[in-house]
Amino acid sequence: MTINPPVLLTDEQMRRFVTDGYLLLKTDFPKSFHDALTAQLDKVYEEEGNPGNNLLPRIRELRKVFDHPAVTGALTSVLGPNYMLHAHRHGHFNATPKPGGWHKDSYWGYKKQRNHHPWWAMIMYFPQDTPVELGPTGLLPGTQNYETRVFETEDPAGEALAAGEAGTFLLIHYDIWHRSTANVLGKPRYMLKFEFMRTSAPTAPSWDNRDAAWSAPATVDALPARHDLLWEETWRWLRGEVGAIAGSLPADDAAVADAAARLAGDDEPDALNAAYELAARGDRGIAALAGALLAGGAAGRAASYGLAVAGAAAVPALREALASADEKAAARGAFALGELRGLAAGAVPALVDALGRAEPRVRRAAVEALGLIGPAAGAHVGDAVAALARALADDDAQTRFTAGLSLARLGSAAAAAVPALVLALDDENRYVRAHAAEALRYIGTPEANEALLHELTYARWCSTTTKESTFYP
């Protein structure tokens, strides 16, 4: 099968994705393609209901969408060339004049600390012409980094709508605030949602990068707040730099005191700006962030984002937090250590030890951190792989399926985990099974490939078998 080369995003598009949290793009399939796709969706939804995670095998034509160079190029640009199509998929059907509620999507049933860096993205694909009156997805630009809504009304100013012709797709940072809007026409509106994960940390730009320097696009004037340090740090992270803003501002005592006060305030956007400013002010800023992390509350959450970008000098404070009896502080410490990747390689033994903690929140964060550090763990890679293999049998399902994702991120370095992954293919949780299969794919050794092929041979799903057509034609 020949797949056309991806059409990579431009610098301007990437800048807008970093600040606004979304891009509205389009495929160029003919009208006949989308007419047939929509007709098949009508039939499946009417006769069988929502196919859920079986959306791709049931609607075979959708595979062409995710091989389209506009789609592969957008995903490669944001998530790197080895991105993962996640096992969770869903077709949203909207025929109601009542708008949906504002929300961020969950990570399959559990709360995790959300990443400012784009480790995850989502595509919402519209197979029919979707004017405003048909109820496209609405989102609030620039809100991908906020835990709270930061807007009070249900109809905030600045809402963006994914209206467009058939073939339009919305690429979003996974954590942006969004909703369904009112379908006043009453005709069926489909939105097909697919989730994607970065499997390796960026080491160089994966988009059509021509300019190394960060500059904010004009669209930032309409956002709820400016986050210049956060945006610049994310841009440089996407270019392969870790801890890029550490020490970039003078360690001025008055400035540190002012930022520390803002960090503890009730204004979440301002607290995030304060966290990134403290990360850029060297040891004094790190000390203020470490104190806030251990103190807890909303300031502790904001502080963990600052420490996650503060460079190697933040690692001792994060190891102290990881050892804390306060479970939230320990989980946030693990989160930030993972974001520091190779700079936190020496903390891998402590993260392994954290998998023995009683609180699942800590084990989940430690398992994810081991995957984010990944092969950069160096001499500790073997210990990380062994710990993740054991975590596949954890009592907590969310720890188990995160362990599978982390082993996928380790790739061939996780070959020793193949026997444990084979056992996980029989787990009672659908995402543990799916992530185990993905980990075998990304490990890619002959043993892993044989196990994966055996599993997929038995799990093969026939896209044309229905209760009306069980065997012929």
Side-chain angles (χ1 to χ4, degrees):
M1 179 177 64
T2 300
I3 298 177
N4 292 326
V7 178
L8 299 176
L9 298 179
T10 65
D11 282 341
E12 180 63 16
Q13 287 174 311
M14 283 297 290
R15 289 186 176 106
R16 286 178 50 206
F17 185 83
V18 168
T19 58
D20 299 10
Y22 80 99
L23 291 170
L24 195 61
L25 303 166
K26 191 176 184 302
T27 60
D28 61 358
F29 291 109
K31 182 177 183 297
S32 57
F33 174 86
H34 285 106
D35 287 347
L37 182 58
T38 304
Q40 189 175 8
L41 284 164
D42 287 338
K43 180 178 176 63
V44 168
Y45 270 69
E46 180 180 351
E47 297 180 359
E48 305 167 30
N50 192 326
N53 286 344
N54 289 325
L55 189 60
L56 269 178
R58 186 64 188 90
I59 313 292
R60 288 180 59 88
E61 290 79 2
L62 277 173
R63 302 178 189 188
K64 297 178 182 178
V65 170
F66 292 99
D67 289 337
H68 192 283
V71 175
T72 60
L75 290 168
T76 297
S77 297
V78 170
L79 299 178
N82 296 316
Y83 61 82
M84 176 192 297
L85 170 59
H86 192 269
H88 178 67
R89 306 92 191 255
H90 196 73
H92 287 260
F93 178 87
N94 178 18
T96 174
K98 182 179 179 180
W102 288 98
H103 64 284
K104 290 173 179 268
D105 278 19
S106 72
Y107 289 79
W108 316 285
Y110 76 103
K111 292 184 177 180
K112 68 181 286 293
Q113 184 154 350
R114 297 173 183 268
N115 306 91
H116 289 174
H117 295 145
W119 285 101
W120 293 83
M122 189 184 302
I123 279 182
M124 299 177 177
Y125 191 77
F126 296 86
Q128 72 284 297
D129 290 342
T130 309
V132 170
E133 296 80 8
L134 197 62
T137 298
L139 57 87
L140 204 56
T143 58
Q144 64 273 15
N145 298 315
Y146 303 151
E147 182 75 14
T148 55
R149 286 195 349 175
V150 305
F151 54 95
E152 296 180 0
T153 175
E154 289 301 307
D155 296 300
E159 180 178 5
L161 301 177
E165 297 177 343
T168 295
F169 67 97
L170 183 65
L171 172 69
I172 65 171
H173 185 295
Y174 190 87
D175 296 326
I176 202 165
W177 284 91
H178 61 280
R179 68 170 178 172
S180 61
T181 59
N183 182 347
V184 298
L185 298 181
K187 300 178 181 178
R189 187 277 278 161
Y190 297 102
M191 181 274 281
L192 310 179
K193 182 184 76 175
F194 295 83
E195 300 167 6
F196 301 85
M197 187 190 85
R198 174 183 284 276
T199 61
S200 58
T203 57
S206 55
W207 68 97
D208 184 17
N209 181 222
R210 305 298 178 90
D211 187 357
W214 166 254
S215 61
T219 51
V220 300
D221 293 336
L223 300 183
R226 289 190 71 100
H227 296 287
D228 292 286
L229 267 178
L230 188 161
W231 295 333
E232 179 184 357
E233 196 283 332
T234 301
W235 172 266
R236 294 176 67 178
W237 183 89
L238 284 162
R239 286 180 45 81
E241 302 177 51
V242 183
I245 64 169
S248 61
L249 295 176
D252 179 85
D253 286 344
V256 168
D258 174 72
R262 289 161 42 223
L263 183 71
D266 294 331
D267 185 330
E268 184 181 5
D270 190 46
L272 287 177
N273 280 339
Y276 276 76
E277 180 183 335
L278 289 168
R281 291 198 181 276
D283 291 343
R284 290 187 179 90
I286 288 172
L289 289 168
L293 177 61
L294 292 173
R301 183 179 65 244
S304 67
Y305 288 114
L307 290 165
V309 299
V315 171
L318 292 171
R319 294 187 66 164
E320 180 182 356
L322 180 62
S324 170
D326 183 325
E327 306 295 355
K328 287 186 178 180
R332 288 169 178 164
F335 163 83
L337 287 167
E339 287 285 5
L340 288 171
R341 292 151 46 192
L343 299 179
V348 167
L351 288 165
V352 169
D353 289 344
L355 296 183
R357 297 281 289 265
E359 173 57 44
R361 179 201 308 261
V362 179
R363 302 201 302 276
R364 296 168 194 166
V367 160
E368 183 172 50
L370 290 171
L372 296 187
I373 295 172
H380 300 294
V381 165
D383 293 336
V385 171
L388 291 170
R390 293 193 298 273
L392 290 169
D394 195 278
D395 290 340
D396 176 59
Q398 296 153 24
T399 299
R400 298 200 303 276
F401 67 61
T402 305
L405 292 177
S406 287
L407 288 165
R409 284 178 166 140
L410 280 153
S412 60
V418 168
L421 288 165
V422 171
L423 292 176
L425 292 172
D426 288 325
D427 195 277
E428 64 183 3
N429 182 281
R430 71 184 73 184
Y431 295 118
V432 177
R433 298 193 301 270
H435 296 175
E438 289 290 356
L440 290 169
R441 174 192 171 200
Y442 281 93
I443 289 170
T445 62
E447 181 187 10
N449 289 339
E450 182 179 356
L452 180 59
L453 182 59
H454 182 271
E455 171 67 14
L456 295 180
T457 298
Y458 279 99
R460 189 185 70 84
W461 206 82
C462 178
S463 59
T464 54
T465 297
T466 67
K467 62 182 180 180
E468 287 81 17
S469 174
T470 57
F471 61 91
Y472 183 82

